[in-house]
Amino acid sequence: MDIVYDMTPSLSQGEYVEDKYGAAYSNDGSKLLRAPHNLTRYTIKHGTKVIGHAAFWGCEDIEQIFIPDTIVTIEGAAFSNCISLKQIELPNGIACIKQFAFRGCEKLECIKMSKSLQFMGRGAFIDCFALKCIEIPETVIDMENPFEGYYGTVNNYSNHFVLENDVIYSSSKEKLISYRSISPYFSVPDCVTEISSFAFSGCEHIKTVQLPISLKTIREGAFDGCKNLQKIALPPSLSLLGNSTFYGCASLTEIQIPEGITELPYGLFMGCNSLNTIKLPYNLDKIGYCTFSDCGNLKNIDIPPYVTDIEEGAFADCSLLEHMNLPNGIHTLSKSTFRGCSSLKQISLPEGLSKIGMCAFLGTHSLKDIKISNNVSSIEKYAFCGSGIEHVELPEHLTTIGEYAFCESSLERIEIPYSVIEIEKGAFQGCEHLRCIRISNDRTVVGDGAFASCAEIYYDSILRNSLIAKYGERVFELT
């Protein structure tokens, strides 16, 4: 079942005025901000220039909307989910239709395009099931796959584009803009140098794509949601991959990244839960935010030696990942890097590492042992919470153990170095097997509940009483 989010614009008192129907406009009248949900027909005030983001979202009963010729821009999701809207005329003057503008207008049968339209945004007509035909006016000079999720006919009248076998290219055919074919196999023409943003997005039928050696750039989300894509070989000519290029390609099992790529961007393979083999380029220096997040079938990956930056959540929820060796150039282990890697058994941390970020190893149940570099000065909150770690030697330069850092882990004994200034609240809470703890510095601050629900300590009266004598009973109270 699809999750429907309430996109109704939230407005602050004083930043809008309402007309007699309850529609909200900007104080200067140039922008329609929000229409009331009970409308069945509505005429937008003359002089308005912009129909705002999600302005008519949730107007499920509206059947007719009259747009004045003063409108220049229709912002994202402006008419999204107007499920009773059957026809609409976009007057001359409108130059820009942004992403998802008419998304979910399932009864929309006819749309008359503006003769001054210049830009059409991503998925502008997605799920417009009753709309049989859309025209690309001759005035359009740019677009970002407005036909994602639209399965009717497209007629092109613009000299800036070529429509060929249900594929839309730029006029020179150097850019592939929209793949609309139902064929599961496609060979990108040799003249193409760029696959534009979201060009294949949502093409659930595509299984194999052959890329030419001329290709240099694949933009953001180009293959987003191609859940049956099984085979694609990236050519050596490729020098740029955009964010979330293969997001949700659930059938992709293997891929090799060309040597010309030095950075893996945000969400590149996020949700590719069949991916089990990947080869990274030798000169790679950055693995971006959530790049491999939720790649549930990835067991091993070799990180090249020049990688210096692994961003937040890069390998989060890779539940079968077993081994990891990190190169020496990495100084910070970011938030949630290996969160949920429940099969991780072995990891080699670099000597230059100085910080282990929040939730970095949260839920790594199979990780029994880890060697932490002497340069680490901070272990942030929840870093090893719920991990299987039984033994760890804390580094001599460590100053802070964050909140719940080892909470509910399998630790059996721990020695806190003299350098530690503070053990924050709940740091070892719920470590049921922890039976031996030594705090080297009497001046170390111990937070509330630091040893709460540590059964072995609680029932060792000598150890418990010594800790209470130094830090008070609060260290055993749940937080």
Side-chain angles (χ1 to χ4, degrees):
M1 182 177 70
D2 291 338
I3 298 174
V4 179
Y5 298 97
D6 188 347
M7 295 175 62
T8 307
S10 179
L11 305 178
S12 299
Q13 193 69 32
E15 70 177 12
Y16 66 95
V17 292
E18 290 186 350
D19 67 7
K20 63 181 180 179
Y21 302 102
Y25 288 81
S26 60
N27 288 324
D28 64 1
S30 66
K31 186 173 183 177
L32 173 60
L33 301 172
R34 183 179 65 199
H37 290 178
N38 61 349
L39 292 174
T40 57
R41 56 182 290 159
Y42 184 70
T43 300
I44 298 172
K45 290 168 57 176
H46 192 272
T48 306
K49 296 180 180 180
V50 178
I51 302 174
H53 176 80
F56 286 89
W57 185 93
C59 295
E60 297 185 353
D61 297 321
I62 200 160
E63 297 179 5
Q64 292 181 301
I65 300 172
F66 301 97
I67 301 175
D69 58 11
T70 56
I71 295 290
V72 176
T73 299
I74 297 175
E75 291 191 345
F79 301 100
S80 181
N81 282 22
C82 290
I83 59 176
S84 299
L85 187 66
K86 292 185 177 180
Q87 60 183 25
I88 195 163
E89 181 176 342
L90 306 183
N92 297 340
I94 293 178
C96 177
I97 301 174
K98 294 189 178 180
Q99 64 178 10
F100 307 130
F102 294 93
R103 181 175 190 166
C105 294
E106 55 190 44
K107 293 182 181 178
L108 186 63
E109 297 175 351
C110 178
I111 183 167
K112 184 177 180 182
M113 289 294 188
S114 163
K115 291 182 180 179
S116 56
L117 190 64
Q118 297 181 28
F119 175 78
M120 301 166 75
R122 175 194 176 191
F125 310 100
I126 192 170
D127 294 338
C128 292
F129 302 116
L131 192 58
K132 303 301 181 184
C133 182
I134 297 176
E135 295 182 354
I136 304 174
E138 61 181 358
T139 53
V140 174
I141 60 175
D142 190 20
M143 57 184 177
E144 189 179 73
N145 194 8
F147 308 112
E148 175 187 347
Y150 170 72
Y151 304 103
T153 301
V154 174
N155 292 325
N156 175 41
Y157 297 98
S158 172
N159 291 330
H160 291 274
F161 308 101
V162 174
L163 175 58
E164 187 177 283
N165 298 323
D166 283 326
V167 183
I168 299 174
Y169 304 89
S170 62
S171 58
S172 64
K173 291 189 73 175
E174 292 182 348
K175 293 183 181 181
L176 192 158
I177 295 169
S178 178
Y179 181 80
R180 307 191 65 253
S181 172
I182 59 172
S183 173
Y185 308 101
F186 183 64
S187 180
V188 177
D190 289 340
C191 52
V192 171
T193 61
E194 177 181 316
I195 296 178
S196 296
S197 297
F198 310 105
F200 288 82
S201 182
C203 293
E204 296 182 356
H205 48 270
I206 195 78
K207 293 183 177 180
T208 301
V209 177
Q210 184 175 339
L211 302 176
I213 57 173
S214 59
L215 189 65
K216 296 178 180 178
T217 303
I218 300 179
R219 297 289 181 189
E220 178 183 2
F223 297 94
D224 176 359
C226 295
K227 66 179 184 179
N228 291 307
L229 181 65
Q230 299 170 2
K231 188 176 182 181
I232 187 167
L234 303 179
S237 56
L238 194 66
S239 59
L240 179 67
L241 285 166
N243 293 341
S244 305
T245 298
F246 298 102
Y247 176 88
C249 292
S251 299
L252 189 65
T253 58
E254 60 180 279
I255 198 162
Q256 179 173 342
I257 309 297
E259 290 298 326
I261 300 294
T262 59
E263 177 180 331
L264 303 185
Y266 167 94
L268 182 61
F269 296 104
M270 188 176 181
C272 294
N273 49 33
S274 295
L275 188 66
N276 56 47
T277 304
I278 184 165
K279 185 176 180 182
L280 302 180
Y282 186 77
N283 290 316
L284 188 72
D285 58 36
K286 180 179 178 181
I287 298 175
Y289 178 94
C290 290
T291 294
F292 295 99
S293 177
D294 200 25
C295 289
N297 209 36
L298 191 65
K299 290 185 177 181
N300 295 291
I301 184 169
D302 293 326
I303 308 297
Y306 296 111
V307 171
T308 58
D309 189 6
I310 298 180
E311 292 189 342
E312 180 179 333
F315 298 96
D317 298 315
C318 291
S319 55
L320 293 183
L321 187 67
E322 295 180 348
H323 305 282
M324 176 66 67
N325 293 319
L326 299 177
N328 288 327
I330 295 174
H331 299 293
T332 299
L333 208 54
S334 299
K335 176 182 176 182
S336 300
T337 303
F338 298 102
R339 186 201 67 225
C341 294
S342 53
S343 299
L344 187 66
K345 297 176 182 177
Q346 181 274 330
I347 185 165
S348 175
L349 300 181
E351 284 299 317
L353 194 69
S354 62
K355 184 176 78 171
I356 298 176
M358 184 172 76
C359 302
F361 293 97
L362 177 72
T364 51
H365 309 306
S366 301
L367 189 63
K368 304 299 182 185
D369 191 22
I370 191 168
K371 183 180 179 182
I372 300 176
S373 162
N374 268 334
N375 292 309
V376 170
S377 61
S378 175
I379 297 176
E380 295 192 346
K381 59 184 179 180
Y382 298 101
F384 293 95
C385 180
S387 72
I389 287 182
E390 297 172 354
H391 308 285
V392 63
E393 184 177 339
L394 298 180
E396 59 187 22
H397 293 110
L398 185 66
T399 60
T400 305
I401 300 174
E403 296 178 9
Y404 308 101
F406 292 91
C407 175
E408 298 180 3
S409 67
S410 299
L411 276 174
E412 296 177 357
R413 56 171 58 89
I414 192 77
E415 181 171 345
I416 309 298
Y418 191 88
S419 57
V420 172
I421 297 169
E422 183 175 9
I423 301 171
E424 295 184 357
K425 70 177 183 179
F428 298 94
Q429 182 173 301
C431 293
E432 297 181 351
H433 304 289
L434 186 61
R435 61 180 182 271
C436 180
I437 181 164
R438 181 174 179 267
I439 303 175
S440 302
N441 190 342
D442 290 340
R443 295 184 178 181
T444 297
V445 176
V446 180
D448 293 349
F451 308 109
S453 298
C454 294
E456 293 281 351
I457 294 178
Y458 189 80
Y459 291 111
D460 182 338
S461 60
I462 297 174
L463 178 56
R464 183 184 75 244
N465 290 336
S466 69
L467 290 170
I468 290 174
K470 282 185 179 181
Y471 308 109
E473 291 190 5
R474 61 183 179 76
V475 299
F476 288 104
E477 296 172 355
L478 284 169
T479 58

